[in-house]
PDB file of all heavy atoms in Angstrom:
ATOM      1  N   ALA A 161    -192.577 284.285 172.692  1.00  0.00           N
ATOM      2  CA  ALA A 161    -193.570 285.056 173.490  1.00  0.00           C
ATOM      3  C   ALA A 161    -192.987 285.327 174.868  1.00  0.00           C
ATOM      4  O   ALA A 161    -193.145 286.392 175.307  1.00  0.00           O
ATOM      5  CB  ALA A 161    -194.974 284.403 173.474  1.00  0.00           C
ATOM      6  N   THR A 162    -192.366 284.403 175.395  1.00  0.00           N
ATOM      7  CA  THR A 162    -191.907 284.597 176.734  1.00  0.00           C
ATOM      8  C   THR A 162    -190.840 285.636 176.799  1.00  0.00           C
ATOM      9  O   THR A 162    -190.876 286.556 177.667  1.00  0.00           O
ATOM     10  CB  THR A 162    -191.346 283.228 177.312  1.00  0.00           C
ATOM     11  OG1 THR A 162    -192.279 282.237 177.199  1.00  0.00           O
ATOM     12  CG2 THR A 162    -190.899 283.351 178.811  1.00  0.00           C
ATOM     13  N   ILE A 163    -189.876 285.570 175.855  1.00  0.00           N
ATOM     14  CA  ILE A 163    -188.735 286.484 175.983  1.00  0.00           C
ATOM     15  C   ILE A 163    -189.223 287.855 175.550  1.00  0.00           C
ATOM     16  O   ILE A 163    -188.731 288.946 176.088  1.00  0.00           O
ATOM     17  CB  ILE A 163    -187.482 285.984 175.084  1.00  0.00           C
ATOM     18  CG1 ILE A 163    -186.279 286.530 175.553  1.00  0.00           C
ATOM     19  CG2 ILE A 163    -187.789 286.281 173.576  1.00  0.00           C
ATOM     20  CD1 ILE A 163    -185.711 286.086 176.883  1.00  0.00           C
ATOM     21  N   THR A 164    -190.173 287.984 174.657  1.00  0.00           N
ATOM     22  CA  THR A 164    -190.647 289.329 174.311  1.00  0.00           C
ATOM     23  C   THR A 164    -191.526 289.927 175.391  1.00  0.00           C
ATOM     24  O   THR A 164    -191.641 291.153 175.498  1.00  0.00           O
ATOM     25  CB  THR A 164    -191.404 289.305 172.942  1.00  0.00           C
ATOM     26  OG1 THR A 164    -192.355 288.434 172.856  1.00  0.00           O
ATOM     27  CG2 THR A 164    -190.401 289.015 171.786  1.00  0.00           C
ATOM     28  N   GLY A 165    -192.150 289.066 176.186  1.00  0.00           N
ATOM     29  CA  GLY A 165    -192.778 289.551 177.424  1.00  0.00           C
ATOM     30  C   GLY A 165    -191.779 290.118 178.424  1.00  0.00           C
ATOM     31  O   GLY A 165    -191.997 291.317 178.921  1.00  0.00           O
ATOM     32  N   ALA A 166    -190.693 289.522 178.475  1.00  0.00           N
ATOM     33  CA  ALA A 166    -189.554 290.064 179.370  1.00  0.00           C
ATOM     34  C   ALA A 166    -189.075 291.352 178.755  1.00  0.00           C
ATOM     35  O   ALA A 166    -188.779 292.355 179.484  1.00  0.00           O
ATOM     36  CB  ALA A 166    -188.506 289.072 179.513  1.00  0.00           C
ATOM     37  N   GLU A 167    -188.999 291.406 177.433  1.00  0.00           N
ATOM     38  CA  GLU A 167    -188.464 292.632 176.790  1.00  0.00           C
ATOM     39  C   GLU A 167    -189.496 293.731 176.936  1.00  0.00           C
ATOM     40  O   GLU A 167    -189.007 294.906 177.221  1.00  0.00           O
ATOM     41  CB  GLU A 167    -188.229 292.339 175.155  1.00  0.00           C
ATOM     42  CG  GLU A 167    -187.636 293.455 174.499  1.00  0.00           C
ATOM     43  CD  GLU A 167    -188.567 294.305 173.680  1.00  0.00           C
ATOM     44  OE1 GLU A 167    -189.819 294.055 173.699  1.00  0.00           O
ATOM     45  OE2 GLU A 167    -188.109 295.258 173.085  1.00  0.00           O
ATOM     46  N   ALA A 168    -190.763 293.515 176.861  1.00  0.00           N
ATOM     47  CA  ALA A 168    -191.777 294.503 177.151  1.00  0.00           C
ATOM     48  C   ALA A 168    -191.627 295.029 178.593  1.00  0.00           C
ATOM     49  O   ALA A 168    -191.721 296.205 178.816  1.00  0.00           O
ATOM     50  CB  ALA A 168    -193.130 293.962 176.852  1.00  0.00           C
ATOM     51  N   ALA A 169    -191.438 294.069 179.498  1.00  0.00           N
ATOM     52  CA  ALA A 169    -191.225 294.490 180.937  1.00  0.00           C
ATOM     53  C   ALA A 169    -190.019 295.387 181.081  1.00  0.00           C
ATOM     54  O   ALA A 169    -190.081 296.426 181.780  1.00  0.00           O
ATOM     55  CB  ALA A 169    -191.162 293.131 181.759  1.00  0.00           C
ATOM     56  N   TYR A 170    -188.981 295.033 180.370  1.00  0.00           N
ATOM     57  CA  TYR A 170    -187.724 295.843 180.468  1.00  0.00           C
ATOM     58  C   TYR A 170    -187.971 297.277 180.002  1.00  0.00           C
ATOM     59  O   TYR A 170    -187.674 298.321 180.607  1.00  0.00           O
ATOM     60  CB  TYR A 170    -186.707 295.214 179.597  1.00  0.00           C
ATOM     61  CG  TYR A 170    -185.393 295.924 179.451  1.00  0.00           C
ATOM     62  CD1 TYR A 170    -184.584 296.246 180.577  1.00  0.00           C
ATOM     63  CD2 TYR A 170    -184.966 296.395 178.223  1.00  0.00           C
ATOM     64  CE1 TYR A 170    -183.374 296.956 180.449  1.00  0.00           C
ATOM     65  CE2 TYR A 170    -183.799 297.177 178.104  1.00  0.00           C
ATOM     66  CZ  TYR A 170    -183.041 297.408 179.176  1.00  0.00           C
ATOM     67  OH  TYR A 170    -181.913 298.102 179.065  1.00  0.00           O
ATOM     68  N   ARG A 171    -188.728 297.405 178.849  1.00  0.00           N
ATOM     69  CA  ARG A 171    -189.011 298.711 178.325  1.00  0.00           C
ATOM     70  C   ARG A 171    -189.892 299.493 179.274  1.00  0.00           C
ATOM     71  O   ARG A 171    -189.624 300.646 179.458  1.00  0.00           O
ATOM     72  CB  ARG A 171    -189.729 298.626 176.917  1.00  0.00           C
ATOM     73  CG  ARG A 171    -188.889 298.635 175.730  1.00  0.00           C
ATOM     74  CD  ARG A 171    -189.683 298.623 174.495  1.00  0.00           C
ATOM     75  NE  ARG A 171    -190.323 297.351 174.190  1.00  0.00           N
ATOM     76  CZ  ARG A 171    -191.606 297.183 173.767  1.00  0.00           C
ATOM     77  NH1 ARG A 171    -192.358 298.164 173.653  1.00  0.00           N
ATOM     78  NH2 ARG A 171    -192.042 295.982 173.513  1.00  0.00           N
ATOM     79  N   SER A 172    -190.841 298.804 179.864  1.00  0.00           N
ATOM     80  CA  SER A 172    -191.739 299.527 180.795  1.00  0.00           C
ATOM     81  C   SER A 172    -190.977 300.023 182.046  1.00  0.00           C
ATOM     82  O   SER A 172    -191.112 301.133 182.449  1.00  0.00           O
ATOM     83  CB  SER A 172    -192.880 298.579 181.086  1.00  0.00           C
ATOM     84  OG  SER A 172    -193.778 299.214 182.013  1.00  0.00           O
ATOM     85  N   LEU A 173    -190.128 299.093 182.501  1.00  0.00           N
ATOM     86  CA  LEU A 173    -189.535 299.396 183.816  1.00  0.00           C
ATOM     87  C   LEU A 173    -188.378 300.376 183.687  1.00  0.00           C
ATOM     88  O   LEU A 173    -188.194 301.167 184.518  1.00  0.00           O
ATOM     89  CB  LEU A 173    -188.887 298.026 184.430  1.00  0.00           C
ATOM     90  CG  LEU A 173    -190.058 296.954 184.880  1.00  0.00           C
ATOM     91  CD1 LEU A 173    -189.329 295.792 185.382  1.00  0.00           C
ATOM     92  CD2 LEU A 173    -190.908 297.629 185.923  1.00  0.00           C
ATOM     93  N   VAL A 174    -187.786 300.368 182.522  1.00  0.00           N
ATOM     94  CA  VAL A 174    -186.743 301.461 182.242  1.00  0.00           C
ATOM     95  C   VAL A 174    -187.531 302.775 182.089  1.00  0.00           C
ATOM     96  O   VAL A 174    -187.131 303.774 182.702  1.00  0.00           O
ATOM     97  CB  VAL A 174    -185.879 301.137 180.946  1.00  0.00           C
ATOM     98  CG1 VAL A 174    -185.181 302.263 180.493  1.00  0.00           C
ATOM     99  CG2 VAL A 174    -185.075 299.934 181.220  1.00  0.00           C
ATOM    100  N   ASN A 175    -188.595 302.670 181.294  1.00  0.00           N
ATOM    101  CA  ASN A 175    -189.433 303.991 181.194  1.00  0.00           C
ATOM    102  C   ASN A 175    -189.916 304.555 182.481  1.00  0.00           C
ATOM    103  O   ASN A 175    -189.998 305.773 182.592  1.00  0.00           O
ATOM    104  CB  ASN A 175    -190.663 303.619 180.279  1.00  0.00           C
ATOM    105  CG  ASN A 175    -191.387 304.811 179.867  1.00  0.00           C
ATOM    106  OD1 ASN A 175    -190.848 305.864 179.661  1.00  0.00           O
ATOM    107  ND2 ASN A 175    -192.663 304.630 179.756  1.00  0.00           N
ATOM    108  N   ARG A 176    -190.180 303.693 183.365  1.00  0.00           N
ATOM    109  CA  ARG A 176    -190.740 304.121 184.655  1.00  0.00           C
ATOM    110  C   ARG A 176    -189.619 304.327 185.707  1.00  0.00           C
ATOM    111  O   ARG A 176    -189.890 304.555 186.917  1.00  0.00           O
ATOM    112  CB  ARG A 176    -191.776 303.108 185.168  1.00  0.00           C
ATOM    113  CG  ARG A 176    -193.022 303.103 184.370  1.00  0.00           C
ATOM    114  CD  ARG A 176    -193.983 302.082 184.952  1.00  0.00           C
ATOM    115  NE  ARG A 176    -195.303 302.268 184.205  1.00  0.00           N
ATOM    116  CZ  ARG A 176    -196.423 301.685 184.674  1.00  0.00           C
ATOM    117  NH1 ARG A 176    -196.467 300.914 185.632  1.00  0.00           N
ATOM    118  NH2 ARG A 176    -197.594 301.935 184.025  1.00  0.00           N
ATOM    119  N   GLY A 177    -188.403 304.184 185.181  1.00  0.00           N
ATOM    120  CA  GLY A 177    -187.293 304.366 186.165  1.00  0.00           C
ATOM    121  C   GLY A 177    -187.035 303.364 187.224  1.00  0.00           C
ATOM    122  O   GLY A 177    -186.370 303.645 188.181  1.00  0.00           O
ATOM    123  N   LYS A 178    -187.625 302.164 186.902  1.00  0.00           N
ATOM    124  CA  LYS A 178    -187.508 301.103 188.061  1.00  0.00           C
ATOM    125  C   LYS A 178    -186.274 300.302 187.792  1.00  0.00           C
ATOM    126  O   LYS A 178    -185.836 299.467 188.617  1.00  0.00           O
ATOM    127  CB  LYS A 178    -188.784 300.319 188.129  1.00  0.00           C
ATOM    128  CG  LYS A 178    -190.036 300.968 188.593  1.00  0.00           C
ATOM    129  CD  LYS A 178    -191.207 300.072 188.626  1.00  0.00           C
ATOM    130  CE  LYS A 178    -192.472 300.750 188.825  1.00  0.00           C
ATOM    131  NZ  LYS A 178    -193.562 299.927 188.671  1.00  0.00           N
ATOM    132  N   VAL A 179    -185.724 300.322 186.532  1.00  0.00           N
ATOM    133  CA  VAL A 179    -184.651 299.526 186.242  1.00  0.00           C
ATOM    134  C   VAL A 179    -183.694 300.432 185.432  1.00  0.00           C
ATOM    135  O   VAL A 179    -184.087 301.177 184.672  1.00  0.00           O
ATOM    136  CB  VAL A 179    -185.034 298.300 185.239  1.00  0.00           C
ATOM    137  CG1 VAL A 179    -183.805 297.739 184.568  1.00  0.00           C
ATOM    138  CG2 VAL A 179    -185.672 297.274 186.106  1.00  0.00           C
ATOM    139  N   ASP A 180    -182.384 300.363 185.911  1.00  0.00           N
ATOM    140  CA  ASP A 180    -181.386 301.147 185.095  1.00  0.00           C
ATOM    141  C   ASP A 180    -181.109 300.562 183.754  1.00  0.00           C
ATOM    142  O   ASP A 180    -181.179 299.355 183.570  1.00  0.00           O
ATOM    143  CB  ASP A 180    -180.019 301.118 185.919  1.00  0.00           C
ATOM    144  CG  ASP A 180    -180.123 301.726 187.210  1.00  0.00           C
ATOM    145  OD1 ASP A 180    -181.021 302.518 187.436  1.00  0.00           O
ATOM    146  OD2 ASP A 180    -179.303 301.315 188.069  1.00  0.00           O
ATOM    147  N   ASN A 181    -181.011 301.392 182.787  1.00  0.00           N
ATOM    148  CA  ASN A 181    -180.675 300.908 181.416  1.00  0.00           C
ATOM    149  C   ASN A 181    -179.235 300.436 181.339  1.00  0.00           C
ATOM    150  O   ASN A 181    -178.355 301.180 181.609  1.00  0.00           O
ATOM    151  CB  ASN A 181    -180.895 302.014 180.446  1.00  0.00           C
ATOM    152  CG  ASN A 181    -180.856 301.473 179.008  1.00  0.00           C
ATOM    153  OD1 ASN A 181    -180.409 300.424 178.800  1.00  0.00           O
ATOM    154  ND2 ASN A 181    -181.497 302.277 178.112  1.00  0.00           N
ATOM    155  N   LYS A 182    -179.177 299.165 181.196  1.00  0.00           N
ATOM    156  CA  LYS A 182    -177.732 298.553 181.261  1.00  0.00           C
ATOM    157  C   LYS A 182    -177.428 297.778 180.010  1.00  0.00           C
ATOM    158  O   LYS A 182    -176.799 296.739 180.047  1.00  0.00           O
ATOM    159  CB  LYS A 182    -177.686 297.669 182.423  1.00  0.00           C
ATOM    160  CG  LYS A 182    -177.597 298.317 183.803  1.00  0.00           C
ATOM    161  CD  LYS A 182    -177.399 297.344 184.870  1.00  0.00           C
ATOM    162  CE  LYS A 182    -177.231 298.148 186.109  1.00  0.00           C
ATOM    163  NZ  LYS A 182    -177.456 297.330 187.361  1.00  0.00           N
ATOM    164  N   LYS A 183    -177.935 298.166 178.839  1.00  0.00           N
ATOM    165  CA  LYS A 183    -177.584 297.428 177.656  1.00  0.00           C
ATOM    166  C   LYS A 183    -178.146 296.025 177.715  1.00  0.00           C
ATOM    167  O   LYS A 183    -177.430 295.072 177.332  1.00  0.00           O
ATOM    168  CB  LYS A 183    -176.116 297.520 177.259  1.00  0.00           C
ATOM    169  CG  LYS A 183    -175.713 298.911 176.650  1.00  0.00           C
ATOM    170  CD  LYS A 183    -174.362 298.747 176.156  1.00  0.00           C
ATOM    171  CE  LYS A 183    -174.274 298.370 174.585  1.00  0.00           C
ATOM    172  NZ  LYS A 183    -172.802 298.404 174.143  1.00  0.00           N
ATOM    173  N   VAL A 184    -179.271 295.886 178.266  1.00  0.00           N
ATOM    174  CA  VAL A 184    -179.940 294.539 178.360  1.00  0.00           C
ATOM    175  C   VAL A 184    -180.352 294.148 176.964  1.00  0.00           C
ATOM    176  O   VAL A 184    -180.824 294.864 176.251  1.00  0.00           O
ATOM    177  CB  VAL A 184    -181.061 294.472 179.400  1.00  0.00           C
ATOM    178  CG1 VAL A 184    -181.832 293.081 179.288  1.00  0.00           C
ATOM    179  CG2 VAL A 184    -180.625 294.769 180.786  1.00  0.00           C
ATOM    180  N   LYS A 185    -180.069 292.856 176.605  1.00  0.00           N
ATOM    181  CA  LYS A 185    -180.421 292.352 175.383  1.00  0.00           C
ATOM    182  C   LYS A 185    -181.064 290.945 175.646  1.00  0.00           C
ATOM    183  O   LYS A 185    -180.595 290.195 176.455  1.00  0.00           O
ATOM    184  CB  LYS A 185    -179.276 292.176 174.381  1.00  0.00           C
ATOM    185  CG  LYS A 185    -178.872 293.462 173.762  1.00  0.00           C
ATOM    186  CD  LYS A 185    -179.784 293.762 172.631  1.00  0.00           C
ATOM    187  CE  LYS A 185    -179.497 295.174 171.992  1.00  0.00           C
ATOM    188  NZ  LYS A 185    -180.335 295.520 170.898  1.00  0.00           N
ATOM    189  N   PHE A 186    -182.112 290.660 174.795  1.00  0.00           N
ATOM    190  CA  PHE A 186    -182.921 289.439 175.110  1.00  0.00           C
ATOM    191  C   PHE A 186    -182.545 288.373 174.036  1.00  0.00           C
ATOM    192  O   PHE A 186    -182.600 288.728 172.873  1.00  0.00           O
ATOM    193  CB  PHE A 186    -184.425 289.709 175.197  1.00  0.00           C
ATOM    194  CG  PHE A 186    -184.630 290.635 176.321  1.00  0.00           C
ATOM    195  CD1 PHE A 186    -184.627 291.995 176.221  1.00  0.00           C
ATOM    196  CD2 PHE A 186    -185.050 290.081 177.572  1.00  0.00           C
ATOM    197  CE1 PHE A 186    -184.841 292.834 177.323  1.00  0.00           C
ATOM    198  CE2 PHE A 186    -185.245 290.835 178.667  1.00  0.00           C
ATOM    199  CZ  PHE A 186    -185.158 292.233 178.538  1.00  0.00           C
ATOM    200  N   ILE A 187    -182.105 287.284 174.397  1.00  0.00           N
ATOM    201  CA  ILE A 187    -181.714 286.232 173.556  1.00  0.00           C
ATOM    202  C   ILE A 187    -182.594 284.941 173.764  1.00  0.00           C
ATOM    203  O   ILE A 187    -182.700 284.444 174.885  1.00  0.00           O
ATOM    204  CB  ILE A 187    -180.230 285.860 173.613  1.00  0.00           C
ATOM    205  CG1 ILE A 187    -179.378 287.054 173.527  1.00  0.00           C
ATOM    206  CG2 ILE A 187    -179.854 284.775 172.593  1.00  0.00           C
ATOM    207  CD1 ILE A 187    -177.868 286.853 173.772  1.00  0.00           C
ATOM    208  N   ALA A 188    -183.251 284.431 172.718  1.00  0.00           N
ATOM    209  CA  ALA A 188    -183.998 283.301 172.807  1.00  0.00           C
ATOM    210  C   ALA A 188    -183.207 282.080 172.158  1.00  0.00           C
ATOM    211  O   ALA A 188    -182.759 282.317 171.007  1.00  0.00           O
ATOM    212  CB  ALA A 188    -185.412 283.405 172.151  1.00  0.00           C
ATOM    213  N   PHE A 189    -183.227 281.020 172.813  1.00  0.00           N
ATOM    214  CA  PHE A 189    -182.585 279.829 172.149  1.00  0.00           C
ATOM    215  C   PHE A 189    -183.781 278.653 171.965  1.00  0.00           C
ATOM    216  O   PHE A 189    -184.503 278.498 172.902  1.00  0.00           O
ATOM    217  CB  PHE A 189    -181.592 279.152 173.058  1.00  0.00           C
ATOM    218  CG  PHE A 189    -180.320 279.934 173.108  1.00  0.00           C
ATOM    219  CD1 PHE A 189    -180.075 280.776 174.300  1.00  0.00           C
ATOM    220  CD2 PHE A 189    -179.387 280.027 172.104  1.00  0.00           C
ATOM    221  CE1 PHE A 189    -178.864 281.535 174.386  1.00  0.00           C
ATOM    222  CE2 PHE A 189    -178.208 280.775 172.133  1.00  0.00           C
ATOM    223  CZ  PHE A 189    -178.033 281.462 173.404  1.00  0.00           C
ATOM    224  N   ALA A 190    -183.722 278.159 170.768  1.00  0.00           N
ATOM    225  CA  ALA A 190    -184.691 277.029 170.577  1.00  0.00           C
ATOM    226  C   ALA A 190    -184.113 276.105 169.441  1.00  0.00           C
ATOM    227  O   ALA A 190    -183.342 276.511 168.757  1.00  0.00           O
ATOM    228  CB  ALA A 190    -186.005 277.584 170.130  1.00  0.00           C
TER     229      ALA A 190
END
Side-chain angles (χ1 to χ4, degrees):
Chain A
T162 306
I163 204 71
T164 55
E167 187 261 357
Y170 174 65
R171 266 188 285 137
S172 181
L173 295 175
V174 167
N175 186 36
R176 291 179 170 193
K178 294 183 193 170
V179 162
D180 298 335
N181 193 340
K182 286 185 175 159
K183 280 187 97 177
V184 172
K185 281 280 176 178
F186 295 86
I187 305 176
F189 291 102

